[in-house]
Amino acid sequence: MDKGKFIVFEGLDGSGTTTQSRLLKEWFENENQPVYLTHEPTEGPIGILIRLALAGRLCSATNNQTYQQVNESTLALFFAADRMDHLQNTIIPNLEKGINVICDRYYLSSFAYQSLELEFEWIKQINSKCRQPDLTFMLDVPVIECKKRMAKERWHIDLYEDEEKLEKVRVNYLRIIEEYLRRKENIEILNGNLSQKDVHNEVEKKVRKFLTSGKNIVKGFKGSGFRVQG
């Protein structure tokens, strides 16, 4: 059986990664292709701790019997551990079965967000065993628009969601992506400020091209006329 393809959506909170992940899943289903949609942080035991920490509801005890929020280094290790658990128990098993996996956020999120406070090289190191995606979409949306979208959908503000931090995260994303493009990682930067339909149309076009090019042709891809093994 052919292995599935691993496709990731990245971007600021409010950039539309969840919506576009769902729309791409629906597109794969319409093309009669096996697909599995997932996200990070996960719903696993470590992912739940991360969500509590981001919402300011997970604290650690200090020597003087007070409590403080989980520090940045610990949180970075939580993300890396959650990601490895995700890979071993969800992502890789599905890919090995020939199922395409779409993930809402992956290691570029850790690089962009956590390098605000921590050394970038260390964050890369603790994520160095992660599988590289076959294709990553970065949805680039102005911070002011992301804030408007979050205000409509959220009842609380997470740790990284104030405007000043988000501006720095966006700069980090673009700088880090430039580095990984030089390493030949397959990353597409899209204008996420367009309508949901227009962004999805662009995603669909890029995915179709990826799946029908060279060795990446998908067996039985609807309308392609190709059936290629491997």
Side-chain angles (χ1 to χ4, degrees):
M1 180 180 290
D2 296 337
K3 291 185 178 180
K5 302 303 177 186
F6 183 27
I7 301 174
V8 170
F9 283 88
E10 293 281 5
L12 299 178
D13 292 302
S15 64
T17 60
T18 300
T19 297
Q20 293 303 321
S21 296
R22 175 181 53 80
L23 291 174
L24 183 58
K25 175 181 181 286
E26 293 172 0
W27 179 80
F28 268 106
E29 291 171 339
N30 290 335
E31 294 290 329
N32 298 317
Q33 290 296 315
V35 62
Y36 183 87
L37 175 60
T38 188
H39 56 80
E40 292 188 355
T42 70
E43 300 297 333
I46 308 171
I48 291 171
L49 291 177
I50 292 171
R51 292 175 186 279
L52 289 171
L54 292 176
R57 299 183 64 189
L58 180 68
C59 300
S60 57
T62 64
N63 288 334
N64 59 6
Q65 297 183 330
T66 60
Y67 291 88
Q68 62 184 14
Q69 288 190 342
V70 176
N71 65 48
E72 292 286 347
S73 296
T74 301
L75 189 56
L77 290 168
F78 277 1
F79 271 103
D82 186 46
R83 186 162 296 124
M84 290 306 300
D85 180 67
H86 195 198
L87 278 166
Q88 296 303 316
N89 292 293
T90 301
I91 295 172
I92 292 174
N94 275 290
L95 293 174
E96 293 291 335
K97 293 175 185 175
I99 300 171
N100 301 296
V101 175
I102 301 168
C103 190
D104 180 2
R105 300 192 174 283
Y106 194 52
Y107 55 58
L108 289 182
S109 286
S110 285
F111 298 165
Y113 280 84
Q114 291 158 6
S115 64
L116 290 179
E117 305 289 342
L118 302 171
E119 184 182 353
F120 178 44
E121 292 301 320
W122 180 72
I123 300 168
K124 286 199 297 184
Q125 183 179 3
I126 62 176
N127 286 277
S128 62
K129 300 298 183 182
C130 294
R131 185 196 189 282
Q132 180 177 308
D134 296 301
L135 176 62
T136 297
F137 289 106
M138 163 63 180
L139 306 181
D140 189 25
V141 178
V143 169
I144 190 169
E145 177 61 26
C146 288
K147 293 289 290 183
K148 288 179 183 177
R149 295 178 185 180
M150 285 189 288
K152 294 179 181 179
E153 300 172 2
R154 304 284 184 88
W155 59 270
H156 70 281
I157 299 297
D158 280 350
L159 181 62
Y160 296 109
E161 290 182 3
D162 72 75
E163 190 166 339
E164 183 179 354
K165 283 186 177 179
L166 285 175
E167 290 285 5
K168 293 177 180 177
V169 171
R170 181 174 179 267
V171 171
N172 277 352
Y173 255 127
L174 298 176
R175 174 181 58 81
I176 292 163
I177 285 172
E178 184 178 356
E179 174 183 332
Y180 276 74
L181 285 171
R182 289 196 296 269
R183 299 182 184 187
K184 307 301 181 184
E185 188 159 325
N186 193 8
I187 304 172
E188 297 279 355
I189 301 176
L190 302 181
N191 180 3
N193 207 27
L194 303 174
S195 70
Q196 291 181 2
K197 181 178 179 180
D198 287 342
V199 175
H200 172 67
N201 287 342
E202 190 65 21
V203 168
E204 177 187 331
K205 181 172 67 175
K206 299 288 187 182
V207 171
R208 189 180 292 274
K209 180 179 179 180
F210 167 70
L211 294 176
T212 57
S213 63
K215 66 180 181 179
N216 289 319
I217 295 172
V218 173
K219 180 179 179 182
F221 184 69
K222 182 179 175 181
S224 68
F226 295 100
R227 295 179 66 85
V228 177
Q229 301 290 333

